Amino acid sequence: MSTRKPLIAANWKMYKTPAQANDFVTAFLPLVHSHTRDEIVLCPPFVDIATVVAAAQGSNVRVGGQNMYWKEEGAFTGEISAPMLVAAGCTHVVLGHSERRQFFGETDETVNKRLHAALKHKLIPIVCVGELLAQRESGKTADVLLRQTAEALTGIAPEHAGSIAIAYEPVWAIGTGKTATPEMAAEAHHIIREQVVRSLGREIADKMRILYGGSVKPENASALMNQEEIDGALVGGASLDPHSFSKIVLY
Ligand code: PGA
């Protein structure tokens, strides 16, 4: 058994108004009450953060942003900074999600800048990596994972890296109903962890949580989570319903 505490994070993407977010938390908290085996995080849209933080106050549920800019403040219309997330009550932040890379121009370099800023402000970063279907089919999965992981971690000092979590999210499995088999995920996690060893050393790599994301559902959560290499889940679609997400948390 690994000593890494599993992290189960809900990525709500662009779903839920503040009222809907409040309803979710009200229904969800009793379902996971007193559950301490896993770290539970909800990542709502920015406009819902205050509501979710207030509703989850005093509970075992933490709140994270889905993205952030690396500057602290300034003339950057439409952006949100790490200190703002912290001030709003967030403890975590998702960085470099494939939808940010695909639709909003996020690159390995900008993920790296965001990671530096998140660590500076003591947010727990969940850094997303993962290959496209064409990359998997052409045998490039390992290359892509090694590059994305190495570039995300560039210039990060091991002494500041202890809180980082990485989410392996094969892009072809996100929102498609196709899941990597537990063995495929475990193999990818092993590749990522070996790169973390090269970037940050064995000690940090052994402690680092590597989550799986991509069509995680109540039905497949335990098979995935039972893999020694899988230290949690980043859940999109199945996290929008409190009952379904609680079943994943309680896998
Ligand atoms: P999914 O999304 O669970 O809907 O596949 C996962 C994610 O994008 O983080």
Side-chain angles (χ1 to χ4, degrees):
M1 270 296 279
S2 102
T3 54
R4 301 182 288 264
K5 181 168 180 151
L7 166 55
I8 314 277
N11 173 15
W12 285 355
K13 309 192 179 189
M14 199 172 72
Y15 289 99
K16 294 191 191 295
T17 62
Q20 291 166 335
N22 190 61
D23 288 349
F24 177 103
V25 180
T26 307
F28 179 66
L29 289 186
L31 303 174
V32 297
H33 174 71
S34 75
H35 182 81
T36 54
R37 178 193 58 192
D38 307 86
E39 193 169 309
I40 309 169
V41 184
L42 301 177
C43 302
F46 293 134
V47 294
D48 300 339
I49 288 173
T51 302
V52 173
V53 166
Q57 205 175 15
S59 78
N60 51 342
V61 173
R62 302 282 164 268
V63 183
Q66 296 178 12
N67 179 35
M68 48 162 259
Y69 192 48
W70 57 86
K71 301 274 189 175
E72 297 185 3
E73 59 180 12
F76 303 107
T77 302
E79 294 299 314
I80 290 278
S81 71
M84 289 172 182
L85 288 178
V86 172
C90 287
T91 47
H92 294 64
V93 65
V94 176
L95 299 177
H97 189 278
S98 66
E99 286 148 18
R100 302 295 318 167
R101 295 177 190 255
Q102 227 177 319
F103 305 129
F104 302 100
E106 186 93 54
T107 63
D108 291 331
E109 193 188 346
T110 59
V111 173
N112 176 250
K113 288 184 174 176
R114 287 178 165 83
L115 180 56
H116 279 272
L119 292 173
K120 179 171 176 206
H121 293 282
K122 308 255 180 308
L123 285 163
I124 299 174
I126 304 171
V127 180
C128 302
V129 300
E131 79 287 359
L132 304 168
L133 183 59
Q135 292 166 329
R136 174 161 285 269
E137 286 178 341
S138 58
K140 301 240 164 62
T141 299
D143 290 350
V144 171
L145 298 179
L146 293 173
R147 189 200 73 230
Q148 289 181 339
T149 306
E151 295 196 9
L153 298 175
T154 299
I156 304 288
E159 59 270 31
H160 298 142
S163 71
I164 301 173
I166 294 181
Y168 168 58
E169 297 208 306
V171 178
W172 48 270
I174 295 179
T176 57
K178 289 186 199 144
T179 324
T181 62
E183 295 73 24
M184 272 159 102
E187 188 190 347
H189 285 212
H190 180 72
I191 292 168
I192 293 166
R193 200 177 300 283
E194 285 309 301
Q195 181 55 51
V196 179
V197 172
R198 287 191 283 279
S199 296
L200 296 169
R202 176 68 63 188
E203 197 184 326
I204 294 291
D206 283 345
K207 281 196 229 144
M208 189 170 288
R209 293 175 296 183
I210 305 182
L211 324 184
Y212 170 77
S215 298
V216 176
K217 308 249 171 311
E219 301 77 48
N220 59 25
S222 69
L224 288 161
M225 293 299 298
N226 283 333
Q227 291 284 328
E228 170 74 19
E229 273 291 334
I230 300 184
D231 309 311
L234 183 56
V235 187
S239 75
L240 293 170
D241 175 80
H243 296 277
S244 139
F245 188 52
S246 72
K247 285 187 194 142
I248 294 173
V249 169
L250 304 174
Y251 60 87

